Amino acid sequence: MASKFTIDRRAVLRGIAAGGALGASATLPFRPAFAKTTTVGFIYVGARDDYGYNQAHAEGAAALKSLPGIKVVEEENVPETVAVQKTMESMINLDGATLLFPTSFGYFDPHMLKMAKKYPDLTFLHCGGLWTAGKHPKNTGSYFGYIDEAQYLSGIVAGYASKSKKLGFVAAKPIPQVLRNINSFTLGAQSVDPTITCQVIFTGEWSMPVKEAEATNSLADQGVDVVTCHVDGPKVVVETAEKRGLYTCGYHASQAPLAPKGYLTGAEWNWSKVYTDYVNLFTAGKPIPNLVRGGLKEGIVKTSAYGPAASAEARKHADAVKAKFMAGDMVIYKGPIETNDGKTIVAAGTSHGQTDIWLESMDWLVKGVIGGT
Amino acid sequence: MPGFAVRLLGASEALVLPLAALAASMVLFGIFVTLAGVDPVEVFALMYKGAFGTAFSIQNTLQRAAPLVLAALCTALPAQLGLVIIGGEGALVMGGLTAVAAALALPAGTPPLAVQIAMAAAGMAAGGAWIALSGALRHFRGVNETISSLLLTYIAIAILNHMVSGPMRDPASLNKPSTPPIGDANMIGSIPGMDVHWGLVFGIVFCIGAWVLMDRTTFGFAARMVGGNVRAAAMSGLPVGRLLIITCFIAGAAAGLAGMVEVAAVHGAANAPLAAGYGYTGILVAFLARQNPLAVIPVAILLGGIDASGGLLQRRLDLPDATVMVLQGIIFVVILASETLYGRFRVFNPKEAA
């Protein structure tokens, strides 16, 4: 009887405490008036630990956590609907965030733009490189990297590793960003051996693990012996390839722990540098550039450390080309380049440097790629 | 005991049982988060704050509830006839896509209101046709409507993806394939004084209309009779096929309208994010509301609130995103289990007790 009473009393006390907490939280002003700490909000479209796109951003966000006076708030699995608008507003209203990084490509238009108009004093930075002067609000900006430079290097290493001279690429959607990665990867491999082909399979979705596994298995069955991908979470592709005894090149983040035997190298984002730079500008009150772009040279993208399967020859070749990228005099799209449906897309003697806007509306695949857009 | 008190007591059963089930789910969820190493009091305090604690939170909740109200009707209405339709997502997608097609087909300079009405009509017609197809397959060919509506959803999403990346693609939408925008002027704005779009009002009106239709008209009576016993209804001369297909059409029209609101109030164009899963959450809402069109509204708000508070749990307590899914799951199971308790408490049926 006595013990029962104790439990009841505890429950009652807990209830009172809960009521008190609710009352207090309902009356407190949520925007901290003493905004000495800067709250930075990060929003991810998938899981933070997806070994891919979202993990790359989360690793970048994690780099900010050690900075003094910075508080990072994060939310994962936020769909590209009104939900992301509300998540941004929730971070602003309830957490006092003043700098927001909605990281998924699809968050930009209309979601982030709408919030930026509603909260003109706050700063919104988006990953994707879509910002256009005159068209988009001044308190917004975008950043993106020429990750196909790292894909080109992966292609070189893959070219050396492949015995069958058949590479495989598991891709999400036939959009310019993805096509550019496929082309650069293939051109990198063909710089080793021009007869190399690359079989591409589009899954149609950014994250569709079952199809990605099927695609990888199907590539293995066709005699492909090096696989890479451009999907949000390369985990399944890399794991499946490792199980089938294929070599892999990673994407977005390092998947080396998933494929200790077959991982050659990979194209990774270096968001920790980008985010640290942004936050330093922001807290110092300096103007934030609306458009930030760059590749290996600017430190926006990087390559994974070579795996045990990458030959010394491959490393030497890739390192030499990387040095050219770092010096700024490497051009991937240099004529003559033929498409896989027989057109000459870049004439001999012409070249399109990495910053060339023409490359961003790519709707073709180079010769040697098996698959259509 | 006076008659009306007995009736009131009987009716209160439908309110008290779900609330008790909800409370039980909260207790179970509290135990779950305690096991996960978080103070349940803090969790509930944050959930309250995130869902209803501030003016912003309430609007956040209502905004998230809006599409769920309409999507839930897609399951709740056919349920009156004993059908289990789970294809609301497909009707929503077809509604949104067709609404955009209607807006783009109209000549430039058409007054915005006319464009919006055309979009709503087209969206409802397309969504309605989509679910009516399921109903027709059921009636004429004996195809299980649950399976056919689910499969039709996959087809609808495939059509959406094909159209936005092919025939209807705006060439300017490079890396996020979309249809051309319907134009800012044609967007439907927010409810005055609130940051919640008109979809909420459409949903509530649709729910009330559906309730009147099912509870207060001969059509509804006939429909519920079909739900009670198809053969008896057919024997007594009711046009079973017509009732079935019309109800399915209205149900699909509700989801189609939700799709139209998504494109006209949120996205401004049709693209892949249109298939955001509202149709599936709508099934959950309909079942929790025990397929009652009026109960759909509070249940949708409850789930909207859980959704709205999920972000705060992630940000403040570092709980994974799946936490709110666990809560949704617990509520679903406990409420379904509580169905078996109806009529088992004498307090609600004093006459029988006496």
Side-chain angles (χ1 to χ4, degrees), chain B residues 1-61:
Chain B
M1 194 179 272
F4 77 91
V6 172
R7 247 180 293 141
L8 199 67
L9 210 55
S12 71
E13 185 180 27
L15 193 66
V16 172
L17 272 182
L19 285 180
L22 204 58
S25 327
M26 288 297 179
V27 172
L28 287 175
F29 181 63
I31 295 171
F32 170 76
V33 291
T34 311
L35 291 177
V38 185
D39 180 8
V41 175
E42 203 182 346
V43 169
F44 288 125
L46 273 179
M47 287 193 75
Y48 175 77
K49 179 178 165 186
F52 305 105
T54 68
F56 163 74
S57 300
I58 291 170
Q59 297 184 44
N60 187 358
T61 295

Side-chain angles (χ1 to χ4, degrees), chain A residues 14 22 30 74-77 80 86 89-90 93-95 105-106 109-110 118 175-177 205 360, chain B residues 41 45 48-49 54 56 60 63-64 161 174-176 195 266-267 273 276 278 311 314-316 318 321:
Chain A
R14 194 169 288 174
L22 295 185
F30 291 113
E74 297 167 279
E75 206 173 314
E76 62 181 350
N77 286 326
E80 293 167 352
K86 291 299 168 190
E89 281 202 275
S90 183
N93 286 313
L94 303 183
D95 298 336
F105 193 85
D109 187 10
K118 190 166 173 190
I175 60 169
Q177 269 171 22
E205 295 290 336
E360 289 172 26
Chain B
V41 175
Y48 175 77
K49 179 178 165 186
T54 68
F56 163 74
N60 187 358
Q63 178 66 83
R64 287 171 195 261
N161 285 333
L174 288 174
N175 286 314
K176 183 183 177 184
D195 191 26
V266 181
H267 296 291
Y278 294 130
Q314 279 193 46
R315 270 143 42 205
R316 297 285 174 84
D318 217 22
D321 157 69

Side-chain angles (χ1 to χ4, degrees), chain A residues 1 11-13 20 34 63 78 88-89 119 129 144-145 177 189 193 220 223 227 256-257 260 277 281 284 315 320 331:
Chain A
M1 207 53 203
V12 168
L13 286 176
F34 46 90
V78 179
M88 283 185 248
E89 281 202 275
Y119 297 95
F144 205 65
Q177 269 171 22
D193 179 346
V227 170
D277 289 354
L281 286 177
R315 293 176 194 215
V331 177

Side-chain angles (χ1 to χ4, degrees), chain A residues 3-52:
Chain A
S3 68
K4 199 179 171 194
F5 177 68
T6 325
I7 291 164
D8 281 349
R9 190 179 55 188
R10 268 191 201 150
V12 168
L13 286 176
R14 194 169 288 174
I16 292 169
L22 295 185
S25 62
T27 50
L28 277 177
F30 291 113
R31 192 90 73 105
F34 46 90
K36 273 293 142 224
T37 7
T38 306
T39 303
V40 187
F42 280 89
I43 306 170
Y44 314 115
V45 73
R48 246 178 297 183
D49 51 358
D50 65 351
Y51 279 97

Side-chain angles (χ1 to χ4, degrees), chain B residues 230-247:
Chain B
V230 184
R231 247 188 231 166
M235 295 279 273
S236 53
L238 287 174
V240 173
R242 210 174 70 197
L243 286 166
L244 207 135
I245 292 169
I246 291 177
T247 308

Side-chain angles (χ1 to χ4, degrees), chain B residues 94-112:
Chain B
M94 290 311 288
L97 184 66
T98 315
V100 169
L104 297 177
L106 289 174
T110 312

